Amino acid sequence: MNDLSLHELIALLEKELLRLHYTDQSLKYYRSMWRHIAIFCEINGADHFTEDLGLRFLDKRYNFSELEKSGKLTQSIINVLRVVRMLGDFQQHRSILRRYYKQKELLQHNEFREMLQRYADHCRQKEYSKVTQNHYRSISEKFLSYLESQEIEHIPDIAATHVAGYINTLLGYAYKTVELHLCAMRSF
């Protein structure tokens, strides 16, 4: 996916945001930020996005590094950082990984919803603690949502490469977070 131009990357990302039912207001904000990033890339002679380029954009436009060091980042600048990271995540994994879950249900396909419900029932029958049940269910739901972003719609289509791809999205997270995800994935 790194061979896509910035404009191609943005077009695919926008398609994914629409699939996930992001609001018109959110889409308007993302489009505005993407335009600013695209202009910065053009000025710097780059037609492909990198997170490093995104961070340079943040430094140039918002003095990001200095504000971060001094602990003076505003919420609006942090939101722009999220836009940059979303582009980088999507470029690398073709999935939106760092997102807020305002909606209760992440999954779009009934087959995956039913599978998640069966798994939640299984965890209750195994008498896992409530906290473990909630963590395992949440992680499994995110995994299934990741599969949907990879255009997997049916359980028999899930392959080991999809599990590996999801696990790769955890690179850079704290050891304990990765460990929890791996335990949940094994259980699932």
Side-chain angles (χ1 to χ4, degrees), residues 34-73:
W34 294 335
R35 269 193 304 280
H36 292 297
I37 293 168
I39 290 168
F40 178 82
C41 289
E42 277 181 36
I43 290 170
N44 286 279
D47 64 347
H48 289 74
F49 178 81
T50 65
E51 277 201 53
D52 181 60
L53 191 60
L55 292 174
R56 287 192 351 241
F57 162 76
L58 288 168
D59 275 339
K60 180 77 172 169
R61 186 167 178 120
Y62 301 100
N63 198 23
F64 179 82
S65 294
E66 290 302 315
L67 291 174
E68 183 181 37
K69 286 177 191 169
S70 66
K72 295 181 181 176
L73 285 175

Side-chain angles (χ1 to χ4, degrees), residues 17 19 45 53 86-87 113 128 138 161 169-171 178:
L17 293 176
R19 184 187 75 79
L53 191 60
M86 181 185 279
L87 277 166
R113 286 186 192 123
Y128 294 158
S138 173
T161 56
T169 69
L170 303 174
L171 293 174
V178 174

Side-chain angles (χ1 to χ4, degrees), residues 11-22 90 94-96 99 145 148-150:
L12 288 173
L13 178 53
E14 184 170 353
K15 183 179 172 186
E16 180 66 2
L17 293 176
L18 289 167
R19 184 187 75 79
L20 294 171
H21 307 291
Y22 274 61
F90 192 78
R94 202 167 158 238
S95 186
I96 299 171
R99 66 184 204 228
S145 179
E148 288 182 344
S149 75
Q150 304 302 300

Side-chain angles (χ1 to χ4, degrees), residues 12 23 30 45 67-68 90 107-108 126 130 141 165 169 172 180 183:
L12 288 173
T23 65
Y30 284 114
L67 291 174
E68 183 181 37
F90 192 78
L107 302 176
Q108 315 246 331
K126 288 284 193 180
K130 291 284 184 198
E141 185 175 28
T169 69
L180 177 63
C183 287

Side-chain angles (χ1 to χ4, degrees), residues 17-173:
L17 293 176
L18 289 167
R19 184 187 75 79
L20 294 171
H21 307 291
Y22 274 61
T23 65
D24 289 338
Q25 192 62 33
S26 292
L27 289 170
K28 183 178 176 182
Y29 172 75
Y30 284 114
R31 289 178 188 126
S32 171
M33 295 290 43
W34 294 335
R35 269 193 304 280
H36 292 297
I37 293 168
I39 290 168
F40 178 82
C41 289
E42 277 181 36
I43 290 170
N44 286 279
D47 64 347
H48 289 74
F49 178 81
T50 65
E51 277 201 53
D52 181 60
L53 191 60
L55 292 174
R56 287 192 351 241
F57 162 76
L58 288 168
D59 275 339
K60 180 77 172 169
R61 186 167 178 120
Y62 301 100
N63 198 23
F64 179 82
S65 294
E66 290 302 315
L67 291 174
E68 183 181 37
K69 286 177 191 169
S70 66
K72 295 181 181 176
L73 285 175
T74 64
Q75 188 59 51
S76 62
I77 296 172
I78 291 169
N79 290 340
V80 180
L81 172 63
R82 287 190 183 119
V83 173
V84 168
R85 292 224 168 117
M86 181 185 279
L87 277 166
D89 285 347
F90 192 78
Q91 180 183 48
Q92 186 173 4
H93 304 290
R94 202 167 158 238
S95 186
I96 299 171
L97 306 173
R98 307 175 222 213
R99 66 184 204 228
Y100 291 107
Y101 299 101
K102 290 181 184 175
Q103 70 274 29
K104 298 264 186 208
E105 219 172 276
L106 300 181
L107 302 176
Q108 315 246 331
H109 295 89
N110 284 332
E111 188 173 344
F112 285 174
R113 286 186 192 123
E114 291 166 7
M115 180 183 205
L116 186 62
Q117 184 57 53
R118 286 192 308 271
Y119 177 62
D121 293 342
H122 168 78
C123 289
R124 273 191 297 282
Q125 289 171 357
K126 288 284 193 180
E127 297 182 359
Y128 294 158
S129 74
K130 291 284 184 198
V131 171
T132 299
Q133 287 180 44
N134 290 337
H135 281 306
Y136 282 15
R137 185 194 180 287
S138 173
I139 290 166
S140 299
E141 185 175 28
K142 288 176 185 174
F143 170 63
L144 292 170
S145 179
Y146 167 81
L147 291 174
E148 288 182 344
S149 75
Q150 304 302 300
E151 300 179 354
I152 304 299
E153 298 179 7
H154 303 289
I155 295 165
D157 296 335
I158 301 171
T161 56
H162 299 118
V163 176
Y166 178 74
I167 290 170
N168 283 337
T169 69
L170 303 174
L171 293 174
Y173 282 82

